[in-house]
Every structure is written in C-alpha cells, then in structure tokens.
Amino acid sequence: MDDGLDRPTSRELTSLRPALAFLKPYRWHVAAASFALVITASVTLSIGQGMRLLIDQGLSSGSTDLLERSIGIFALLMVLLTIGTFIRFYFVSWVGERISADIRSAVFRHLIRLHPAFFERNLPTEIQSRITTDTTLLQTVIGSSVSIALRNVLMFFGGLALLFYTNAKLSLIVIASVPFVVAPVIAFGRRVRKLSRTSQDTLANVGSYAGESLRYIKVVQSFNHQQIDELAFDERVSIAFRVAVRRIRQRAWLIALVMLLVLSAIAVMLWIGGQDVLSGQISPGELAAFIFYAFIVAGSVGAISEVYSDLQRAAGAMERLVELLQSPSELLEPSEPAVLPVDGGSLQVDAVSFAYPSRPEIEVVHELQLTVEPGEMVAIVGPSGAGKSTLFDLLLRFYDPTSGSVRFDGIDLRELALADVRDRIGFVPQDPVLFAGSILANLTYGKPNATAVEIDRALILAHAKEFVDKLPDGLQTVVGEGGTGLSGGQKQRLAIARALLTEPKILLLDEATSALDAESEDHIRQSIAEMKGRCSILIIAHRLSTVRQADRILVMEDGRLIASGPHDQLVRNNELYASFARIQFTDGGTSNNLSWRSTAG
Ligand code: ATP
C-alpha cells in the first residue's frame, strides 16, 4: 500500500498502542477476523500438500477415482478459502473504518472544548489535516496493512515449516538465496516509495495553486492575471509529471527485476529439484509442493517489508493524534461549580490585567476596574488596539486574566461552569459569522429548540423580520459559507437576532466597523433601543448614534480605562473624547463613524 501521504513516520511501533483502546469495544469483530485469518492461512498452506497428493497419487496412479477425490477436496478448500477471505476482509476493513471514525470523533469532541489560545499555537489547517489525513492513514493501516502483516507472518512461519517438511536440502538452498532476491527488491521499493511521496507533494502543490487562484478569482481577473497563472500552473503540472515519470521508471525496473529474480530462482530450484526427481530422490509432487511453499515464503517476506513502513507511518499518525487528544484545556472548570442567580445580570471586572499567552510580555489590559448593573447599557470606545475586544474575550472566559478577576453577580467566572458563563451571554461579533446553511439554522444556533413565536420575536427585536420575510424562501433561505448572499447590515442584524434568541442576561455587541448604509445603521440603532433595559448591554461602539444611546460611555486607551460618563460630560471633561466629538461634528454629521485615527494616532 502506498497512498503517498508525506507524513513523518515513527520508529516506535509501540506508539500504535493507544489504538488498542479504540479496538476494545470491537473485540468480537477482531476475534472473527483473526479466526478467519488463521483459517485462510491454513487453507492456503494446505493447498501445497493437496498439490503433492494430486500429482503423486492422483496423476501417477492413473486412477480417475483418486483424481476426482483430490479435485473434490481441492474444491472444498476453495470454498473454505472464499468464505474465510470474505469474513476476514469484511471484518478487518470494518474495524479499520470504525476505529478511524471513532478516533476522528474523539479528537473533534476534545478539540471543540479546548481553550481558544490552543488554536493560536496550533494552526486549525494543520489540525484539520491531522483529523482527516492521519485518521485515514490509520484506517488503511488497521483495515489492511495490519491484516496483511499478520497473514504474512503466519504464512511465513507455516510456509517455512512445510518447506523443511517437504525437503530439507532444497530448503537450505532457498534460505541461503533469499537475501540475494529480497535485498535488491527492498532497496528498489524504498526508492519508489520516496518518489511517490515527492510525487504526492508536487501534486498537492498543483492543487493548492489552483485552489488559491479559484478562491480569489475576482482579484485574479481584475488584474488580468490569468495568463501568468496559467503559465505558473503549467509549470507545476509539468514538475509533477516529471516526478511521476521518474517514479514510473523506477517501478518498471522494480517489476522487471522481481520477475527476473523470481524466475531465475525458480529455474535454479527446478534444475536442482529436477535432478533429484530424475534420480528418484524426491517425487514430482514434492517438487511442485516445494516450489509452491517457496513462493509463499518469498511472497510473505516481500509483503511484510512492504507494509512495515506503513505501520511506521501509522505509528507516527497515532502519535500526533494522541498528542491532540491529550492536550489539556487551560480553562479549568471547578468540579462543583457555583450557581448563578436566576435574575442577576450584573458584572464586575476587578483589577484585571491580561497578556495574551502567545505574547506574554505585552500586557494588553492593565488594572481594569468596571461594574455594569443589570439592564444598564454601556458603550466602550477607544482607538484601535485599545483592548476592547480583549475585554469581551475575558468576559466570555476565552482567556483567564493574568491577575484580578471577572465576576458575574459577584461570582468569579473561574468558580462557574463554562457553559453557565456562556449561557448568560449573548455575543454579536464584529464580523457576524454565519454558517453555511439556512437562515433558520443560523438563528437557532444557540437554541435549537426555539419556537416559531420566539424566533419571530427575536427577528422583530433585531429589525431583521422585514428583510427575512421579503426573501423568496424566507427563513429557509440558504446562505453560503460566512453568510455570503446577505449584506453586511443584514448579517449583523441576524447575528443580533441569534444572540437575542437565547435570552441572554448580558449582551456583548462588537459593532461593525465597516460603514453600513444609513438605513441599516438606523435599523441597528432601533434594535439596540428596543433591547435597552431587557438585559445588560456592553457595546464596542464605532458610531456616534450608538454612543448617544448608552447610559454610560467608557473610554479605553492602551488597555486602560481613562474616562467614563455620559456623552455630554465626556465632551467637557475628556480631551480624547472631546477631540473625537469635534471631528465628528465638523464632519458635518455626514459620517457617524468614530474616527480615532486623527486623535489617537
Ligand atoms: P479594534 O477596535 O481594532 O478591534 P481593540 O480595541 O478591540 O481594537 P484588541 O483586539 O482587544 O483591540 O487588541 C488589543 C491588543 O491585543 C492589540 O495590540 C492586539 O495586537 C493584541 N492582540 C489581540 N488578539 C491577540 C492574540 N490572540 N494574541 C496576541 N495578541 C493579541
């Protein structure tokens, strides 16, 4: 087997041991496969003895009766072999598929609960490849290579024993010549395998080039880049072709060499064995059986050497999967979590400092102190990079503060179950991520069992009902990956409706920075107005219209809270805020976007 996947191998086949834990539930399938394996190997080996009897007794005695009996036994063995092969193949492949499916699920189940910082250190694309490629590798290895290896180990020892049983002198000659036949085959085989990996690499290159060009087709065409892409693509295709030809040439040599060596070995055996037959030392049947077993022994050595590297690669794959499975979540949950009051909704940020784990030397939040009462609406403003989104990350407990504490209704988030923390919050990200699927599926993302009335209410609150009703398929309208097919404002309003549907006590809204048209902006302003008082709202604001709606405005700069109060008061007391307001108003009010660039650089 050579699927050409260029995955690092592991020298230690013991790394495959964790796969045994996944095998355990299917021990009866494994037992059935092993039983069938022993039966088929024994039947195959007994064919040599059958051949000997057939030639020596059936043919040489001239009795049709004996011939028919021998053929009858042969037919019976064939039936056994067929049934055994079916059972072995079916169960072994079944177990291979089942285990790789189980490992995939186990890895995903683990990953989806890991702390987000994990995915900053381990790229999601790399992980994605591990889940698919490494498990596929395991599946092929468990579903075929392991059984090939086991079958051939059985055949090797059985064949060897029968070889000696049939003729010890010839056996010694065969054993002595085995290295001369096998060594060049293994050496060539290695070269072929290496080349097929390179070939796979160059092919992957072809694929990724095509993928990137097609994904960004509008950029490609707008720069009239097609011809350059064509040439670059052709270049990659021909490199892949040249590597493939090198591999084919090596393979052709390998096949020819195997033929030559095997046939020469048979010629030598026939020559020596034939002389023995002529001199009456052995019977023709013995010679036939002997050649048969020699084939089996040589074949099994070849097969084992072929699958050994697969086993090593599978061990490497298993190592990487186990590494994923064993990576601990850094967001520890208490064994006996505290319970939040049903009608709470206040939050406290107490002397919180924070640095991202990927950049521990840069503190992005310093000694932040903040309290939000139930039902209060607080707008957070500040220049880009001030730490506004980071504050949301801390409130959602995607990260734990380096020092200080975040509390809901006075309870430290670290004393609560993560699910309870997030249940309490409705989150509308700046880029309102929608998933491929229907609008309905996206809305009910956080509450799959929402009723039609609840969905309607959320849509009305988010001012999204009107546009959804106007779509030809309404709620069943299918949006593409990332919500393609909807405008920025529509996506944001759907994201608000999605968050409201879970009836959160605290709503975190990261306002879109991209300029929405006046109408969308007005819709969002109205939906915020309607949400006011229903839950505590923290909103990262980029628009004056939003800022004016808030009960209180917090001004953040460089991870610090530098001012807090209502708009009019801040205009009077805070220079940063005042200069922003000045720019806004001299702008003639045409743009409602806060522009910090000119004030905070
Ligand atoms: P904007 O208005 O542009 O979204 P912001 O005020 O929300 O800005 P944050 O996203 O909170 O700012 O970022 C605060 C600082 O933290 C920035 O300097 C940013 O480079 C850094 N930062 C953000 N995310 C990470 C991360 N995952 N790892 C390391 N540093 C990060």
Side-chain angles (χ1 to χ4, degrees):
M1 183 209 79
D2 196 351
D3 52 10
L5 296 169
D6 187 17
R7 317 294 292 165
T9 60
S10 168
R11 294 254 137 233
E12 297 291 331
L13 290 190
T14 46
S15 314
L16 277 173
R17 201 172 292 149
L20 289 182
F22 286 94
L23 266 181
K24 222 169 168 190
Y26 311 112
R27 49 185 171 278
W28 291 113
H29 291 80
V30 176
S34 313
F35 181 67
L37 192 77
V38 173
I39 296 287
T40 49
S42 316
V43 170
T44 313
L45 288 172
S46 63
I47 286 176
Q49 292 305 313
M51 254 163 68
R52 177 162 122 172
L53 288 177
L54 184 68
I55 294 172
D56 286 351
Q57 294 175 17
L59 295 181
S60 56
S61 69
S63 131
T64 20
D65 217 30
L66 251 174
L67 179 66
E68 275 169 11
R69 244 205 355 251
S70 308
I71 293 292
I73 294 174
F74 187 72
L76 198 73
L77 289 180
M78 287 294 120
V79 171
L80 254 180
L81 192 65
T82 312
I83 297 173
T85 306
F86 175 87
I87 295 177
R88 175 181 57 82
F89 183 83
Y90 179 82
F91 281 109
V92 167
S93 314
W94 189 94
V95 168
E97 294 279 354
R98 186 67 259 170
I99 285 188
S100 74
D102 286 357
I103 294 181
R104 257 175 216 149
S105 300
V107 172
F108 185 72
R109 204 179 318 131
H110 183 73
L111 288 175
I112 198 116
R113 290 179 168 75
L114 275 185
H115 54 290
F118 179 84
F119 301 95
E120 288 167 20
R121 289 191 293 265
N122 303 275
L123 294 182
T125 44
E126 163 68 16
I127 295 178
Q128 191 185 341
S129 128
R130 286 203 218 176
I131 298 184
T132 49
T133 341
D134 285 343
T135 48
T136 308
L137 193 60
L138 270 185
Q139 169 198 322
T140 357
V141 167
I142 295 172
S144 106
S145 308
V146 167
S147 113
I148 292 178
L150 286 178
R151 183 158 47 103
N152 283 290
V153 166
L154 276 181
M155 301 275 264
F156 176 79
F157 286 110
L160 204 62
L162 286 164
L163 211 55
F164 275 93
Y165 170 74
T166 314
N167 190 313
K169 184 184 101 184
L170 276 181
S171 302
L172 288 175
I173 298 175
V174 168
I175 300 290
S177 62
V178 160
F180 297 102
V181 180
V182 171
V185 172
I186 291 181
F188 250 105
R190 266 203 200 124
R191 283 226 314 256
V192 170
R193 240 193 320 273
K194 218 177 194 169
L195 275 174
S196 47
R197 274 178 212 170
T198 323
S199 165
Q200 198 71 21
D201 268 359
T202 50
L203 260 186
N205 225 336
V206 169
S208 68
Y209 194 88
E212 192 173 29
S213 307
L214 298 181
R215 192 161 45 237
Y216 303 117
I217 190 78
K218 286 183 183 165
V219 179
V220 171
Q221 293 184 352
S222 72
F223 282 95
N224 286 328
H225 207 263
Q226 295 93 318
Q227 209 176 356
I228 300 176
D229 276 344
E230 249 170 63
L231 289 176
F233 186 74
D234 285 351
E235 175 62 22
R236 283 171 172 75
V237 170
S238 54
I239 290 176
F241 175 72
R242 283 199 296 273
V243 175
V245 168
R246 260 166 54 209
R247 179 177 51 115
I248 292 169
R249 200 177 301 132
Q250 295 282 342
R251 229 189 156 116
W253 274 115
L254 178 66
I255 294 169
L257 187 75
V258 168
M259 292 287 271
L260 179 72
L261 289 171
V262 168
L263 290 177
S264 316
I266 291 177
V268 172
M269 270 193 291
L270 279 177
W271 184 61
I272 301 175
Q275 279 178 341
D276 285 354
V277 171
L278 289 179
S279 67
Q281 280 172 341
I282 60 169
S283 69
E286 257 175 35
L287 182 62
F290 186 86
I291 292 176
F292 177 80
Y293 291 128
F295 257 113
I296 285 195
V297 170
S300 55
V301 171
I304 291 168
S305 72
E306 178 82 358
V307 295
Y308 185 71
S309 64
D310 289 338
L311 292 180
Q312 280 185 327
R313 281 161 62 209
M318 194 67 217
E319 247 170 40
R320 290 186 292 276
L321 289 169
V322 166
E323 200 183 289
L324 281 185
L325 270 173
Q326 290 177 346
S327 22
S329 178
E330 281 165 18
L331 296 173
L332 298 178
E333 289 187 81
S335 49
E336 283 177 31
V339 181
L340 283 166
V342 184
D343 49 0
S346 74
L347 68 90
Q348 301 84 31
V349 175
D350 189 9
V352 162
S353 296
F354 176 70
Y356 279 97
S358 52
R359 279 185 220 145
E361 67 288 354
I362 302 176
E363 206 172 73
V364 290
V365 171
H366 312 277
E367 295 286 322
L368 203 66
Q369 197 73 35
L370 164 71
T371 304
V372 177
E373 297 304 333
E376 196 183 6
M377 174 177 173
V378 174
I380 305 167
V381 298
S384 178
K388 305 179 294 289
S389 306
T390 306
L391 174 63
F392 277 14
D393 282 352
L394 292 168
L395 293 175
L396 279 155
R397 206 185 166 204
F398 288 146
Y399 303 89
D400 279 333
T402 323
S403 64
S405 64
V406 180
R407 296 196 294 268
F408 285 175
D409 298 310
I411 306 174
D412 193 318
L413 298 194
R414 285 167 289 207
E415 287 165 25
L416 292 163
L418 272 179
D420 287 347
V421 171
R422 280 125 193 209
D423 253 357
R424 181 140 286 216
I425 296 182
F427 177 45
V428 183
Q430 189 176 81
D431 172 22
V433 177
L434 297 184
F435 295 91
S438 69
I439 288 185
L440 181 66
N442 269 295
L443 280 175
T444 55
Y445 190 74
K447 192 177 185 183
N449 56 358
T451 63
V453 177
E454 288 171 327
I455 293 171
D456 236 32
R457 203 185 314 137
L459 281 174
I460 292 170
L461 262 178
H463 277 253
K465 183 155 174 56
E466 200 183 331
F467 91 81
V468 171
D469 282 348
K470 271 193 197 143
L471 292 169
D473 295 326
L475 279 172
Q476 298 303 336
T477 307
V478 171
V479 297
E481 211 172 297
T484 41
L486 294 173
S487 76
Q490 290 172 337
K491 276 192 267 188
Q492 183 124 26
R493 277 181 278 158
L494 281 183
I496 294 177
R498 171 177 66 186
L500 290 180
L501 197 57
T502 61
E503 294 176 25
K505 289 272 186 289
I506 301 168
L507 185 71
L508 303 182
L509 219 155
D510 201 344
E511 204 174 52
T513 33
S514 56
L516 295 181
D517 63 74
E519 198 187 334
S520 290
E521 196 180 316
D522 194 46
H523 281 306
I524 289 174
R525 193 183 51 74
Q526 284 180 41
S527 56
I528 292 172
E530 297 198 26
M531 284 179 298
K532 260 186 91 171
R534 290 169 193 259
C535 54
S536 318
I537 304 174
L538 262 88
I539 179 163
I540 298 179
H542 296 281
R543 271 174 261 285
L544 189 62
S545 58
T546 320
V547 169
R548 279 191 173 284
Q549 282 176 292
D551 300 317
R552 191 152 51 107
I553 300 155
L554 305 177
V555 185
M556 274 185 84
E557 190 183 24
D558 283 337
R560 289 189 172 79
L561 193 60
I562 57 163
S564 148
H567 174 73
D568 297 332
Q569 186 190 327
L570 283 175
V571 170
R572 266 181 275 120
N573 299 346
N574 186 269
E575 205 183 319
L576 184 64
Y577 191 84
S579 59
F580 143 69
R582 245 188 338 270
I583 290 161
Q584 263 331 98
F585 298 136
T586 49
D587 233 3
T590 47
S591 156
N592 253 351
N593 284 342
L594 288 178
S595 169
W596 292 92
R597 251 167 257 119
S598 39
T599 58

